[in-house]
Amino acid sequence: MDLHLDADDLNACVQCGLCLPHCPTFRVTGDEAMSPRGRIHLMREVQDHDAPLTDEVMESFETCVQCRGCEPACPSGVPYGHLMEQTRETLADAGALTPLWQRLAFKPLASPTLLQTGSSALAIAQRLHLVPKRLGISTELPIRRRPLEASGTDVYFFTGCVMDAWQRDVHRSGIRVVEAAGFGVTPTNELAPCCGALQAHAGLAEDTRSLAKKMMANLEPGRPILVDSAGCGAAMKDYGHLLGTPEALAFSERVFDIQEWLAGHMDRLPVAEPLDLRVAIQDPCHLRHVQRVHDATRTVLRPYVRELVELDDEGLCCGAGGAYSVLQPDLAGQIRDRKVASIERSTPDIVASANPGCSMHLAGAGVPTVHPMELVDRALGRADTAP
Amino acid sequence: MSILDRLRGGRTAHDVDPLLVELQAALTPERVKMDSAQRSLLGKDASMFEGGVSGPICYPTSTDEVVAIAKIAERHGRAIVPRGAGTGLAGGAIPLGAPVVVAMTKMNAILEIDEENGIAWVEPGVINLDLTRHLTPRGFHYAPDPSSQQVCTIGGNVANNSGGPHCLAYGVTNPHIAALEVVTATGEVLLLGGLDAEPDGYDLRGVFVGSEGTLGITTKIAVRLTKNRPGVRTLLLSFATIRDAANTVSAVIAAGIVPAAMEVMDQKITRAVEHYVHAGYPIDAGAVLLAEVDGAEAGVDIDADRIRELGIANNATEVRLAADETERALLWKGRKTAFGAIAQIAPDYYLHDTVVPRSKLADVLDQIYEIADRHDVLVMNVLHAGDGNLHPLLIFDGREDGVMERIQAAGEEIITASLAAGGVLSGEHGIGVEKQPFMDQLFTSDDLDHQNRLRRAFDPTCRANPGKVLPMGHSCADIQQLRSVPTGVWG
Ligand SMILES: Cc1cc2nc3c(=O)[nH]c(=O)nc-3n(C[C@H](O)[C@H](O)[C@H](O)COP(=O)(O)OP(=O)(O)OC[C@H]3O[C@@H](n4cnc5c(N)ncnc54)[C@H](O)[C@@H]3O)c2cc1C
Ligand code: SF4
Ligand code: SF4
């Protein structure tokens, strides 16, 4: 079957295997079918040799976290993320992947009212202990949320879908920090209800394209767009590739991860007494392997905490992977166990993670996790604002 | 039938195979696989060899399970093929004749570290770099560092007697292995070698190291630990020609310096690497030499200075000293990913691995460029220059008509030229299936018969990784027959 994969992209893989240890699913299984090299080989077998889509082949594709840890490890520059997204799109279009119930589950993401109502219902259900554990919702969801107000027009602040419904306080921290640097902020709210990352991962790229077009039409040109969720930022920086238009490319170029952007404006951030904490940095995959701006997290945090520590697992995925922890709970759990062990070895007081999915997934294992912006906000809360 | 059923092939159906049933009973059903996807994947390693056909694939977690697999396979008259990370470049882990593949990746525990005696007991599936990372905080490392060290397994290293850039001063895998627990193809468990400095009797441990899975499967390995050296200096020397670089290498050795590593890369490979790591490799240089010295802080500066002088005496155009650990790590990352980085140029490569006397390096390199030119193929050279270990990479696009014949012809001439210069067939990647046809050029018929007898002492029924290393006629299995087993993997 033609998976519509670019032949040159596919052939760029020389089967050297250097990516294997950077793949979370290979790490926990030792199974070639759960490795990037294995998955690429199977894509080739399906596309070039018409191999049947057996359950095992599908399983190999479906168990990929799409963390893209294999990409920076690959000396041949295989664009693995795009290969897997295209594979999933073709298979979803053909009806072989992402069943109807999953497609329906993604629908409310694009609709703020539906999502907010649903989330409040979920929050109440949570209080009544009606939410199954396997959903992995470990933090207490808010029942009511105060709206985010605009303070100016220097930058957009992307609020998005699930994160806005579940972790609006993180947005609030991020906005306060950007404002502390002297910028007026416009939260995107209903102008940009959802980035479409989860849909693209599930092979529903058409949905992502329409969300991307809507967002591009609603946001005024020129203004930087700051994003505090690594997964959303990565998806929005990929609009250029996804839509292939000059407008989309220009749009992607003004998308910044919030840490990335602040790292370029450190001189404008007030000086403050560092928090007395030893903080371990957990780099979200889509910040480290896809956007590759994870150094910025360190730059921004360093002045505001007593000590930063690195984990010893070279940025191996934590297993959250958007909806992955719900769809593949066993593997996600095993992958998380490795991450938790690495965190324990680094003996931090707290873990900073710049992605809502990762922090919820880690919190589910009892790891105290915050967004880096929450720490900076906390430090600035008692900041001496006079320079 | 729904669309889904039509598209999705369902679970692979296979007739109930008694071999499979017994293996699944001995391990668990999840850890014995026979589906078409798995068999297709495990039919390959990092080599070019395409003809692999695997039988059931087992993922054991203990020595007892490996024994059980060997005995079950014996009852069914099937061979066993151990596999580590599948990064072998000579096809050693390629299954021929639908054998039982024994994937060692789940046996990956570091069992015991004895700092006092400088020994660690590890399972074979431990990744080389993981072991070093684990040892670093204790002030030790595992010295052999193949460029694939981030992924290859200690078991695979033992089987191939693998080397790496830093083996110039420290030696390849063999001297770093103290003892081995081995399961033979008949299911017998042997302990080879021992922790004493000089164990009595024949060195059967040494026989096993480098045996490429043809004597059995190692299930536990005692490796020797190496103390981290206090001082390290890394130099990057640029030259207009690869001959100047090779001459510098000879001059350094002749001056009595034993650097930890001396690696040469030619211009094309340097450019590919620089494009990937951005380490500041000079892309205009005809060749670069990466040299590293280690030892006491005081001594390393003296050695580094002398290497600089010798480089300049041999026309070095630039000499750079890595300023800090970050720069040093980046330079090494470049060298160690050289094989992969070439895919930016063309999708396929054929990597050779011959060793020639150091004094002949420059001449043989000239010949290699000439051979490649004549056959109209692109060649790039990376070499463990200190050991005279050449890695000419022939780079091509396999989709091009007739290219395989040219690659094959050029490759054969390169090997012949290396042997003619007094060299050997394999520096470190092993013989596998790839170099087998050349064994006759290196050994006499008598030599090969003796080697086969040694092998038979371990493996009387010829079921340990058959069809590897020893060429047809001198080995117990007829390779053609092994290769022609007709099972279509996807069938
Ligand atoms: C990018 C790249 C760079 C490389 N650089 C180097 C280098 O610098 N130096 C070097 O020497 N090699 C190098 N290699 C080759 C390869 O990595 C080594 O040969 C390595 O030791 C193979 O280890 P593996 O775990 O991948 O073994 P595999 O490829 O899986 O197997 C190799 C052989 O070992 C046998 N084997 C595996 N496990 C066991 C066991 N437990 N008991 C008995 N036999 C076993 C297999 O049957 C096979 O014959 C490189 C390869 C690549 C792809
Ligand atoms: S994806 Fe890259 S690193 Fe992985 S096997 Fe292919 S070429 Fe090697
Ligand atoms: S994206 Fe992540 S899970 Fe998928 S193959 Fe790459 S490293 Fe493995």
Side-chain angles (χ1 to χ4, degrees), chain B residues 185-246:
Chain B
T186 51
E188 205 179 331
V189 182
L190 311 172
L191 184 69
L192 309 179
L195 304 187
D196 303 338
E198 286 296 331
D200 296 330
Y202 293 116
D203 181 13
L204 297 177
R205 173 211 61 86
V207 173
F208 192 91
V209 176
S211 63
E212 302 189 32
T214 61
L215 304 184
I217 302 181
T218 173
T219 45
K220 236 181 250 171
I221 303 163
V223 301
R224 293 191 196 283
L225 310 182
T226 305
K227 274 220 165 65
N228 295 344
R229 297 296 185 92
V232 183
R233 296 291 180 276
T234 306
L235 296 145
L236 182 69
L237 298 94
S238 312
F239 298 91
T241 67
I242 198 162
R243 182 169 270 275
D244 286 340

Side-chain angles (χ1 to χ4, degrees), chain B residues 112-121 178-179 194-195 221-225:
Chain B
E112 188 190 324
I113 294 178
D114 175 355
E115 289 185 27
E116 213 163 294
N117 294 305
I119 295 282
W121 279 98
L195 304 187
I221 303 163
V223 301
R224 293 191 196 283
L225 310 182

Side-chain angles (χ1 to χ4, degrees), chain B residues 31-55:
Chain B
R31 287 191 286 112
V32 184
K33 312 212 178 201
M34 188 59 186
D35 60 88
S36 49
Q38 188 82 207
R39 289 176 64 205
S40 152
L41 290 170
L42 285 263
K44 288 177 66 73
D45 61 7
S47 72
M48 301 256 309
F49 195 78
E50 291 283 352
V53 179
S54 106

Side-chain angles (χ1 to χ4, degrees), chain A residues 15-18, chain B residues 45-46 81-89 91-94 102 104 124-125 145-148 151-165 208 212-214 216-219 221 335-337 339-340 349 351 384 391 427-430 465 468:
Chain A
Q15 307 280 317
C16 67
L18 291 181
Chain B
D45 61 7
V81 175
R83 178 185 173 98
T87 67
L89 293 167
I94 300 264
V102 190
M104 304 304 286
D145 63 336
S147 302
S148 51
V151 52
C152 63
T153 66
I154 302 288
N157 294 170
V158 167
N160 280 357
N161 193 17
S162 299
F208 192 91
E212 302 189 32
T214 61
I217 302 181
T218 173
T219 45
I221 303 163
R335 165 59 190 90
K336 292 203 170 183
T337 46
F339 299 151
Y349 65 76
L351 174 60
H384 300 316
H391 285 318
E428 51 186 26
H429 298 162
N465 207 1
K468 309 293 165 62

Side-chain angles (χ1 to χ4, degrees), chain B residues 137-148:
Chain B
R138 299 162 183 256
F140 292 95
H141 66 285
Y142 176 66
D145 63 336
S147 302
S148 51

Side-chain angles (χ1 to χ4, degrees), chain A residues 22 27 30 37 41 53 72 76 95, chain B residues 4 9 40 86 105 130 150 276 340:
Chain A
H22 301 275
R27 270 292 185 170
R37 177 172 70 175
H41 175 76
L53 287 169
S76 308
Chain B
L4 202 97
S40 152
T105 43
D130 281 1
Q150 57 173 296
Y276 170 56

Side-chain angles (χ1 to χ4, degrees), chain B residues 466-477:
Chain B
K468 309 293 165 62
V469 189
L470 295 178
M472 256 193 292
H474 298 285
S475 113
C476 32

Side-chain angles (χ1 to χ4, degrees), chain A residues 205-286:
Chain A
E206 225 18 78
D207 292 359
T208 311
R209 285 188 197 100
S210 86
L211 285 167
K213 285 184 196 150
K214 190 162 168 185
M215 191 189 306
M216 285 164 50
N218 284 350
L219 300 188
E220 284 178 30
R223 257 189 262 174
I225 304 155
L226 312 190
V227 187
D228 63 352
S229 151
C232 302
M236 290 158 67
K237 285 184 178 181
D238 200 41
Y239 284 175
H241 167 84
L242 189 74
L243 297 177
T245 61
E247 298 77 44
L249 273 172
F251 181 87
S252 287
E253 267 164 29
R254 60 192 175 102
V255 174
F256 297 90
D257 176 74
I258 187 163
Q259 280 82 225
E260 174 190 18
W261 197 74
L262 283 170
H265 297 90
M266 287 307 282
D267 52 334
R268 295 180 59 155
L269 272 174
V271 177
E273 175 82 11
L275 302 173
D276 188 16
L277 289 173
R278 179 173 157 92
V279 180
I281 297 183
Q282 190 279 127
D283 289 317
C285 293
H286 284 220

